Amino acid sequence: MGVPRWLFVPALLGAAFVLLPLVAIVARTPWSRFLELITSESSREALALSLRTSATSTLICVLLGVPMAVVLARTSFRGQGILRSLVLLPLVLPPVVGGIALLYTFGRRGLLGETFEVLGLQVAFSTTAVVLAQTFVAMPFLVVSLEGALRSAGRRYEAVAASLGARPTTVFRRVTLPLVLPGLASGAVLAFARSLGEFGATITFAGSLQGITRTLPLEIYLRRETDAEAAVALSLVLVVVAVVVIGFARQSRSAV
């Protein structure tokens, strides 16, 4: 069945709406100073911090999000719909609000902050705070992707394995995970990309301390006020990194 021709018009308009701003960044990039701008000390520190914290937050998302997605997709209990809504809330919640929520949870006077203070640990305005902010906003992307993969895969193979005497843990490890590995890979990449671009929750909960909490999006925001060319160059770097990550994820998913 063919595609109606009139659909190409809004499709092209949508593609242009997404691509033109990227073309504008490329056009405005100061190529003569590009390497100088992206290799400054503050730029290198911000990029390294972003990559390091994004990788850490993605690992946490996998460790916590996979069990969460499996429970939501494979069980049924009272209040499950409400729980799913709360888990997915960061998808629609303004990042600044998420940062405030984290601050009043892990800050010095937060729900858990005083306990951490007694233990001699300071979470807010530290690199740990960056990881927590990124994890908070990124985990729903992994949960949504993996839960959808689990529901699409169905339970037939898991039921067969269980009928042959496999324990639940064995079924989960040998059947469920391999079955939804492409969805898990896709969700992990989405979580990494979302962590890499996180701004609002980070600046609210972690602040902007060079080398400690100033990730690349924060560096771009600050450079915009003092050096617009540097902000454009660093924006292009962030776009390229995101494109590479997403492209790698698509190749990995096709290979699986």
Side-chain angles (χ1 to χ4, degrees):
M1 182 177 65
V3 177
R5 292 184 178 181
W6 62 267
L7 286 179
F8 285 94
V9 176
L12 290 174
L13 289 176
F17 181 76
V18 174
L19 294 177
L20 283 178
L22 302 181
V23 173
I25 290 180
V26 175
R28 293 296 298 271
T29 298
W31 295 106
S32 60
R33 299 180 55 212
F34 183 73
L35 289 178
E36 173 191 346
L37 294 172
I38 67 173
T39 57
S40 64
E41 181 180 357
S42 60
S43 299
R44 286 187 283 107
E45 287 183 348
L47 177 58
L49 179 65
S50 290
L51 293 175
R52 188 168 67 251
T53 55
S54 295
T56 304
S57 64
T58 301
L59 178 60
I60 297 175
C61 286
V62 170
L63 293 176
L64 301 181
V66 170
M68 194 182 306
V70 172
V71 169
L72 290 175
R74 290 291 187 260
T75 63
S76 179
F77 53 87
R78 180 176 298 179
Q80 187 178 28
I82 297 176
L83 177 61
R84 180 181 290 105
S85 299
L86 293 176
V87 169
L88 303 183
L89 188 61
L91 285 174
V92 297
L93 198 67
V96 174
V97 176
I100 292 176
L102 290 170
L103 187 61
Y104 281 103
T105 302
F106 299 102
R108 293 183 61 182
R109 298 184 179 180
L111 292 176
L112 303 177
E114 294 183 359
T115 301
F116 287 129
E117 284 288 323
V118 172
L119 298 175
L121 302 175
Q122 181 179 346
V123 178
F125 305 104
S126 66
T127 304
T128 301
V130 176
V131 174
L132 291 178
Q134 292 174 342
T135 303
F136 181 80
V137 301
M139 189 180 299
F141 287 86
L142 186 141
V143 173
V144 167
S145 180
L146 187 56
E147 185 185 0
L150 285 164
R151 293 187 182 279
S152 298
R155 303 186 181 186
R156 181 177 59 179
Y157 296 106
E158 296 169 333
V160 171
S163 67
L164 293 175
R167 294 180 178 274
T169 300
T170 303
V171 173
F172 172 73
R173 181 171 54 87
R174 300 291 297 274
V175 179
T176 305
L177 283 182
L179 197 62
V180 298
L181 193 58
L184 175 57
S186 177
V189 170
L190 288 175
F192 181 84
R194 181 64 185 88
S195 297
L196 195 64
E198 166 50 33
F199 174 82
T202 302
I203 197 170
T204 304
F205 180 45
S208 179
L209 305 174
Q210 184 174 345
I212 301 176
T213 65
R214 187 178 300 172
T215 57
L216 193 56
L218 272 64
E219 178 72 12
I220 293 172
Y221 177 78
L222 294 175
R223 288 293 191 94
R224 185 181 62 88
E225 302 292 337
T226 59
D227 190 348
E229 289 187 342
V232 173
L234 292 174
S235 296
L236 182 59
V237 170
L238 194 58
V239 169
V240 170
V241 171
V243 170
V244 169
V245 168
I246 294 174
F248 177 77
R250 289 182 62 86
Q251 290 183 354
S252 300
R253 186 166 184 171
S254 299
V256 173

